[in-house]
Amino acid sequence: MDFVFVDEVKAALADGEPVVALESTVITHGLPYPQNLETAVAMATAVRQGGAVPATIAIIQGQIHIGLTKAQLDYLAAREGTAVRKCSRRDIPLAVAGGADGATTVAGTMILAHRAGIPIFATGGIGGVHRGHPFDISADLLELGRTPVTVVSSGAKSILDLPATREVLETQGVPVIGYGADVMPAFFSRSSGLPVDGRLDTPAQVAALIRAHHALKLQNGILVTVPVPEADAFDPDEAEAAIAQATREADEQGIDGPAATPWLLRRVAQLTDGRSLRANTALLQNNGRVAGQIAAALSR
Ligand code: PSU
Ligand code: MN
């Protein structure tokens, strides 16, 4: 299967220069327009500041793209909340065969990044086990168990059952790293209270972990969790109140399956009058920068 690479990403990969993959579901299903576009551009800039080339991954009219032009980013961002297919593992061949537009989730992005030869990927939050729905386990967790890509994120939003999410990561053999932290963050807030498997404080230390993982030929992923910068954290009580209400409403309205996460994210942003978006955009940029630094350390 041919992928379309933007020139800059193709050249960087050919020269062994650092590249960081970015997902596209956060653009089409995670943030409202126009903040989604602004954040996608700012996150790519942050990856560059960290010392790497950004490669946003998406499917456009059935074609897999590794790195998007500004026009392609505009195209996807403007289709936020519409018929772009949210592409996890199972959806990718359907979008490709159908000639459809598809935005890749954490799972979908990990698969395509790995195929493209990109070992590091940055995003905001991963999927997990849904509160009150112990069998709605995001395919992200299983992908972390079977695709050797390092995912830099701020953990998972507390729209999810975080202790259950943590357990599934353990079962899947995924090392959970706290970047400059002893506990897993909870997306908007800096602590979930849940322990990490190891704390690492520098890009060089994370690069050493990734090298050891690759040298052992382990086929699973690594989760590096980065707390939101202190000044941008969102009030945990306000977040919890909005999440509890959104979760209740979703259950009343029977929202489930792949629609659940985008619906909850949208509702939480509405209920907090967009105040939660500031933490969201800040942590996306911060994670992009950290991932850029790790990618740069890894290629040295
Ligand atoms: N969490 C966020 N923002 C997001 C997502 C999760 O805070 O945009 C997206 C990611 O693309 C993630 C997906 O991979 O939702 C998980 O969806 P599901 O729960 O259906 O697996
Ligand atoms: Mn699900």
Side-chain angles (χ1 to χ4, degrees):
M1 164 105 15
D2 286 337
F3 292 0
V4 176
F5 290 80
V6 289
D7 290 342
E8 189 190 14
V9 170
K10 184 187 254 177
L13 289 172
D15 296 344
E17 281 163 11
V19 176
V20 171
L22 301 173
E23 64 156 304
S24 42
T25 293
V26 66
I27 301 172
T28 54
H29 296 71
L31 291 167
Y33 186 84
Q35 286 96 335
N36 60 348
L37 180 59
E38 290 159 13
T39 304
V41 171
M43 195 180 181
T45 303
V47 168
R48 290 183 199 284
Q49 287 164 350
V53 173
T56 306
I57 294 180
I59 301 169
I60 298 177
Q61 294 176 0
Q63 176 67 59
I64 293 170
H65 288 263
I66 311 294
L68 300 180
T69 63
K70 179 64 172 44
Q72 289 167 334
L73 265 186
D74 289 344
Y75 172 88
L76 282 180
R79 280 162 183 73
E80 175 265 322
T82 64
V84 176
R85 188 182 186 108
K86 177 182 157 195
C87 288
S88 190
R89 173 179 274 264
R90 61 151 194 211
D91 306 278
I92 295 173
L94 284 160
V96 168
D101 292 333
T104 51
T105 63
V106 168
T109 307
M110 286 180 76
I111 293 168
L112 298 178
H114 180 55
R115 296 273 198 282
I118 305 172
I120 299 183
F121 158 35
T123 189
I126 62 166
V129 182
H130 279 267
R131 286 193 193 182
H133 301 270
F135 293 105
D136 185 350
I137 301 169
S138 174
D140 294 353
L141 302 183
L142 306 189
E143 206 56 53
L144 278 160
R146 58 178 167 187
T147 296
V149 166
T150 295
V151 178
V152 178
S153 80
S154 296
K157 272 206 180 81
S158 45
I159 57 171
L160 301 167
D161 180 336
L162 296 182
T165 299
R166 181 80 188 78
E167 288 293 339
V168 175
L169 287 167
E170 179 184 343
T171 303
Q172 291 294 318
V174 180
V176 178
I177 304 305
Y179 189 74
D182 297 307
V183 287
M184 265 183 94
F187 198 85
F188 295 129
S189 59
R190 289 173 57 85
S191 172
S192 65
L194 298 167
V196 292
D197 301 314
R199 170 181 175 147
L200 299 174
D201 292 296
T202 65
Q205 288 174 348
V206 181
L209 171 73
I210 296 170
R211 282 196 198 99
H213 189 85
H214 290 174
L216 288 161
K217 299 189 165 48
L218 296 172
Q219 295 306 307
N220 55 286
I222 295 172
L223 184 62
V224 175
T225 61
V226 186
V228 61
E230 198 113 44
D232 300 303
F234 185 62
D235 179 55
D237 294 333
E238 192 183 347
E240 179 52 37
I243 287 164
Q245 180 176 339
T247 306
R248 202 165 51 238
E249 290 174 358
D251 283 341
E252 281 160 13
Q253 296 177 36
I255 313 279
D256 62 3
T261 296
W263 194 93
L264 290 166
L265 296 178
R266 186 179 307 263
R267 191 69 185 122
V268 168
Q270 279 171 359
L271 289 171
T272 59
D273 268 332
R275 280 188 303 282
S276 61
L277 293 178
R278 175 164 150 231
N280 206 337
T281 54
L283 67 85
L284 280 162
Q285 286 177 58
N286 190 51
N287 296 347
R289 193 175 46 78
V290 169
Q293 291 168 343
I294 294 169
L298 190 61
S299 73
R300 272 196 283 276

